[in-house]
Amino acid sequence: MVASLKSFNLNPTLGYKLDPGEPGLAYSAPASRSIIRVLSQEVSNLIAFKNEALRKGGVVIYSKISLDMQKRGIFLAAVAGKTEVRILIPGEKEVMESGRPESEDPQIRLEKLKNEIERELLIENDQDKVEELKQKLLILNSILSNPVLKNSDFVVKGLMINDVV
């Protein structure tokens, strides 16, 4: 038995829903155009987040757009998208885990973090944790070797916010 091509939709139309409160239009797109459809919505979300940061006097220090890709018909299609951002607003009270305000020089804070990680590395027995600490140490050493990055308060705060160290 041979199925006819009429029974297979080679380029199906995909319907999209917006997240609650997300601006934009929820319209459909064929699988062949789904990537541009989803990506354009996510880029507009990113622009909205950047505008919000500017209105608040802040800056976007991290952004990431992810597309969920699946095969639809004969095409690789974007079936969903996600935009993540981290906004830093200068002047907001930043507190370290210890509870004291962040007011010291960025390079000094990086050196303290490096020393703390090196101490943890000496006493840690769990191999997974050791690898994670080595990775953090590698990141800190590369930042400390760069004269621009090691003096950037934005870099230090970005590391803290994104739980890199």
Side-chain angles (χ1 to χ4, degrees), residues 99-110:
R100 66 184 194 288
E102 294 281 347
S103 60
E104 31 184 270
D105 181 72
Q107 186 174 353
I108 294 171
R109 288 201 320 245
L110 288 171

Side-chain angles (χ1 to χ4, degrees), residues 24-136:
L25 300 171
Y27 59 87
S28 302
S32 61
R33 299 183 50 97
S34 64
I35 294 173
I36 192 70
R37 162 70 182 101
V38 175
L39 189 58
S40 67
Q41 178 64 36
E42 297 308 320
V43 168
S44 66
N45 290 345
L46 179 60
I47 291 168
F49 285 129
K50 286 183 178 184
N51 288 337
E52 178 185 343
L54 286 173
R55 277 194 302 277
K56 292 180 178 180
V59 63
V60 172
I61 58 174
Y62 168 82
S63 63
K64 176 183 175 184
I65 294 177
S66 305
L67 299 180
D68 182 7
M69 306 294 287
Q70 295 179 6
K71 187 174 182 207
R72 293 291 191 256
I74 62 170
F75 294 96
L76 185 60
V79 296
K82 180 180 177 182
T83 302
E84 296 177 62
V85 298
R86 303 275 188 204
I87 298 173
L88 177 66
I89 301 173
E92 283 192 357
K93 190 174 182 179
E94 292 285 330
V95 178
M96 286 182 60
E97 290 179 1
S98 65
R100 66 184 194 288
E102 294 281 347
S103 60
E104 31 184 270
D105 181 72
Q107 186 174 353
I108 294 171
R109 288 201 320 245
L110 288 171
E111 291 287 349
K112 284 183 179 180
L113 281 171
K114 179 182 172 189
N115 291 338
E116 185 178 316
I117 290 172
E118 286 173 340
R119 278 193 304 274
E120 285 180 41
L121 197 56
L122 291 173
I123 60 173
E124 187 59 53
N125 293 329
D126 181 19
Q127 192 59 33
D128 291 335
K129 183 71 173 170
V130 168
E131 289 302 318
E132 181 182 327
L133 290 170
K134 284 181 179 179
Q135 186 68 23
K136 289 179 180 182

